[in-house]
Amino acid sequence: MTVALLSHGPTARLLMAVGVVAVVTLGAGIAVPSPATIGVGLAFLGGEYCLRLVLDGPSADGRAAVVAAALLAAGEFAFWSIELRGGGTREPGRRARRLGSEFALGLGGLTVAALVLAIGDVVKVRGLGIELVGGAAAAALLSLAVRMLRPER
Amino acid sequence: MTRRPSPRLVVYGALCAFGLVAALAVRRPEPVALAAPFALVLALAAIADRAPRVRAWIESDRERALEGEEVEVILALRAERRVAQVEALLVVPRGLQIVGGENPFSVGLGEGEDVTMQLRLEVGHWGAYALGDLRLRARDPLALWAWEWRVSRPHHLQVYPRPEALRTLVAPLRTNAALGSAITRAKGDGLEFADVRAFVPGDRVRSVNWRASARRAELIVNERHPERSGDIVLFLDTFAEARRLRESSLDWAIRATATLADHYLDRRDRVGLVAFGGTLRWLTPGSGLRQRYLLVEALLETELLFSYAWKDVDVIPSRTMPPGALVIAVTPLLDSRAIAALLDLRARGRDVAVVEVSPLRFVEPGVEPHEQLAYRLWCLRRDELVARLQSRGIAVTRWSGGEPLGAAIEEVNSFRRHAQLARR
């Protein structure tokens, strides 16, 4: 929604609509609680930002790293709230440690996203080759994630 | 050990892929930048994917306890490798309740570090319990992975029923030669005064009743009842039970049997046990501490096994029921095989008394008239059965679990006194 507020003109209403859907989905995911719904909410938030990029023009956006870190923070806090609601045990100092870890993770995310943007800014290669490389990277990442996330005994 | 990814790891993997595909679709680097932090989390998860090495022990301060007492259990964890968070849950069997300590509890452990957690368990119900089922869950610092495993350190806890206070017990008609606390009907050396008679050569001087001798102008001596031990056989009917929720007539029967065994053993009587039901279990009469433990352990293992097979007293080994033993049956009088066995024992000249653990408290009379009629008929049949047993000279007392057992035992004594007078 912040992205929508930053926009002007006829695109603002569309972005606002996507933002509202994203926030409602995210809220529903936290309330139910449902990790998949949270994921959909985060995807909508990211999608809203991408939509703005597409609609507003070809100029590169330096704020993408901040948006990325904010998205990660939103996801982390949403999942943390679910974990806390799950009850479990109370260990003194655990929340403070977790908060520190989340902060470090946010900073790391910001750095990595900024690094990606910087690389994207420097390397101006276009064409089918780079798209194939990107597609292969996406597929490899997906397969790696699926293999890693499979429960093991 | 089971390794589970946290739900957010799965979601982040999907978001990451979504970002990369979106970047290809819109031909811009920003979606890749959006996906990059999530890819960083996945990379961290790959690094953190190391199974924890945690060892666990369980110790308890005792193996035997009385109902209502507290037992202390110590859980000890030791990490051979640093674990950001480990949660331990002791599975507490039904009948035990945690009154002190945290369960589950969570700690972070450094390499070689150990931690202990003291739990206090209150035993609410007698029985044999197996403690030691411990569930452990470890997580990495970002809680991206959870490793779950189960540790089994069997620790057996036997909880004995708390015996009720009894002021009197049913005295056996015949006693043994061995010393005990039961006052016999015979006359001899003892404490309880029985009668007076004329002095005969051989009588001890200290038996002379000087006051009576002075009145009668001849030597009169006191006679006394000697104290002897008796043989008691506790006959526990395990054919059938009446049950409502967690409470059953068999529970109360076992409680009553344990109480009787405890008090008779205190009186130095020899006590045996016959658990007569789907399976026949017995314990020959004996006395002392060992017999006490054997009896209670046999009672704790007593369970109801449904069986259609007809059983009579012939299946009971003869040495289990010595001649002259008092047979105290603790039964809900629900199964005809147990009733027939009691009548058979009486017909064979055994001294039998019945403590009927009333199943009435477990049965609702119903709401409909026909239900109430059926209930009344059933009660009448039970009354008729009790009258039939009493007509054979078997003392029957009705005991509802919540009442003091002493009142029921007093009723048996009263019946036996009455029956004795009638016999004279």
Side-chain angles (χ1 to χ4, degrees):
Chain A
M1 283 205 294
T2 315
V3 174
L5 292 173
L6 290 172
S7 302
H8 304 284
T11 58
R13 193 168 290 175
L14 178 65
L15 292 175
M16 177 65 89
V18 177
V20 167
V21 170
V23 170
V24 168
T25 314
L26 192 59
I30 295 169
V32 172
S34 160
T37 315
I38 290 174
V40 172
L42 290 173
F44 267 114
L45 282 176
E48 183 198 11
Y49 177 71
C50 291
L51 192 62
R52 180 187 171 268
L53 290 177
V54 172
L55 295 174
D56 280 5
S59 61
D61 189 6
R63 291 171 296 188
V66 179
V67 174
L71 264 184
L72 179 65
E76 284 294 300
F77 285 117
F79 283 110
W80 194 9
S81 76
I82 290 180
E83 283 173 32
L84 289 177
R85 218 172 328 149
T89 52
R90 271 174 271 158
E91 183 196 346
R94 184 173 145 202
R95 287 185 189 181
R97 279 205 305 274
R98 176 76 183 264
L99 200 61
S101 304
E102 296 296 350
F103 183 70
L105 195 63
L107 274 183
L110 184 68
T111 311
V112 171
L115 199 65
V116 167
L117 282 178
I119 293 169
D121 202 32
V122 172
V123 184
K124 300 278 186 187
V125 185
R126 294 204 179 265
L128 186 64
I130 193 71
E131 284 184 14
L132 283 176
V133 170
L141 187 69
L142 195 63
S143 65
L144 179 71
V146 167
R147 207 171 63 179
M148 197 169 75
L149 302 182
R150 193 180 298 152
E152 260 181 25
R153 274 184 191 279
Chain B
M1 186 180 287
T2 310
R3 186 195 68 171
R4 290 181 199 285
S6 102
R8 76 185 205 272
L9 209 54
V10 181
V11 169
Y12 288 179
L15 284 175
C16 207
F18 177 69
L20 294 178
V21 172
L24 286 173
V26 299
R27 296 166 181 255
R28 296 181 69 115
E30 286 88 350
V32 181
L34 289 189
F38 297 107
L40 174 70
V41 176
L42 291 181
L44 289 174
I47 295 168
D49 186 9
R50 289 172 69 200
R53 285 187 192 165
V54 179
R55 299 183 70 184
W57 297 269
I58 297 172
E59 283 174 19
S60 173
D61 63 340
R62 55 170 117 173
E63 292 176 347
R64 293 183 178 89
L66 263 182
E67 204 174 33
E69 285 185 339
E70 285 185 7
V71 179
E72 202 175 275
V73 175
I74 294 171
L75 308 182
L77 301 178
R78 183 180 175 82
E80 292 174 5
R81 185 191 292 167
R82 187 179 173 278
V83 186
Q85 186 202 353
V86 59
E87 287 173 294
L89 168 77
L90 177 71
V91 179
V92 179
R94 207 169 70 176
L96 302 180
Q97 194 185 358
I98 293 179
V99 290
E102 274 184 62
N103 190 40
F105 76 99
S106 170
V107 284
L109 291 172
E111 191 175 337
E113 191 182 349
D114 48 15
V115 69
T116 56
M117 170 55 73
Q118 200 172 318
L119 297 177
R120 277 189 297 118
L121 304 177
E122 189 185 71
V123 279
H125 195 272
W126 58 267
Y129 296 97
L131 282 170
D133 186 6
L134 191 63
R135 310 285 167 92
L136 294 165
R137 183 191 290 149
R139 293 181 201 272
D140 59 285
L142 282 170
L144 298 170
W145 298 105
W147 289 268
E148 292 175 357
W149 71 104
R150 189 177 166 177
V151 174
S152 184
R153 299 273 182 272
H155 182 90
H156 298 285
L157 174 68
Q158 293 201 318
V159 180
Y160 298 160
R162 188 174 282 280
E164 285 194 44
L166 288 180
R167 290 178 66 185
T168 54
L169 289 169
V170 182
L173 290 178
R174 277 183 269 173
T175 51
N176 298 328
L179 272 178
S181 301
I183 298 161
T184 62
R185 283 163 179 77
K187 291 165 187 172
D189 284 338
L191 294 172
E192 197 75 18
F193 176 78
D195 205 351
V196 289
R197 63 166 169 79
F199 180 86
V200 290
D203 280 339
R204 283 186 286 186
V205 179
R206 73 173 195 181
S207 299
V208 174
N209 186 330
W210 295 108
R211 198 169 285 183
S213 302
R215 269 203 301 271
R216 294 215 192 164
E218 62 171 332
L219 280 176
I220 301 292
V221 291
N222 286 336
E223 285 187 315
R224 295 180 188 277
H225 291 300
E227 286 81 27
R228 298 279 185 260
S229 70
D231 285 336
I232 312 293
V233 176
L234 298 168
F235 183 97
L236 181 64
D237 174 8
T238 58
F239 271 117
E241 66 171 352
R243 176 174 281 278
R244 185 191 285 169
L245 301 175
R246 289 185 188 178
E247 201 182 11
S248 79
S249 62
L250 184 65
D251 285 353
W252 286 108
I254 289 175
R255 198 179 293 271
T257 310
T259 299
L260 289 170
D262 199 56
H263 284 83
Y264 276 114
L265 287 170
D266 279 348
R267 262 182 27 158
R268 285 174 294 200
D269 288 325
R270 295 199 311 158
V271 182
L273 175 75
V274 174
F276 195 62
T279 55
L280 177 73
R281 302 176 74 238
W282 69 88
L283 203 61
T284 50
S287 55
L289 193 62
R290 184 174 171 273
Q291 183 73 359
R292 188 183 297 256
Y293 282 124
L294 286 175
L295 272 166
V296 176
E297 278 164 21
L299 285 173
L300 293 184
E301 288 164 13
T302 302
E303 58 182 351
L304 203 77
L305 282 176
F306 192 75
S307 166
Y308 283 112
W310 183 262
K311 283 198 177 80
D312 56 21
V313 287
D314 289 336
V315 298
I316 302 172
S318 56
R319 68 178 190 281
T320 312
M321 289 202 181
L326 166 64
V327 179
I328 301 180
V330 186
T331 166
L333 292 179
L334 287 172
D335 194 278
S336 53
R337 288 168 291 188
I339 296 162
L342 291 175
L343 288 169
D344 197 358
L345 281 172
R346 183 63 192 140
R348 294 176 189 209
R350 299 281 181 179
D351 183 13
V352 183
V354 172
V355 176
E356 180 205 350
V357 182
S358 176
L360 297 180
R361 63 181 294 177
F362 303 101
V363 182
E364 290 289 339
V367 182
E368 298 296 324
H370 66 272
E371 290 172 339
Q372 292 185 345
L373 178 66
Y375 179 77
R376 287 206 303 274
L377 278 172
W378 181 62
C379 290
L380 277 172
R381 278 190 65 182
R382 293 189 63 78
D383 288 343
E384 184 272 332
L385 173 64
V386 169
R388 189 148 50 99
L389 290 169
Q390 285 176 334
S391 70
R392 306 283 170 90
I394 300 174
V396 183
T397 181
R398 189 164 282 171
W399 179 60
S400 301
E403 301 164 358
L405 183 62
I409 296 299
E410 195 52 54
E411 205 176 318
V412 173
N413 280 330
S414 167
F415 178 91
R416 285 162 71 87
R417 270 198 298 273
H418 175 74
Q420 201 179 352
L421 283 173
R423 240 183 286 159
R424 282 176 190 170

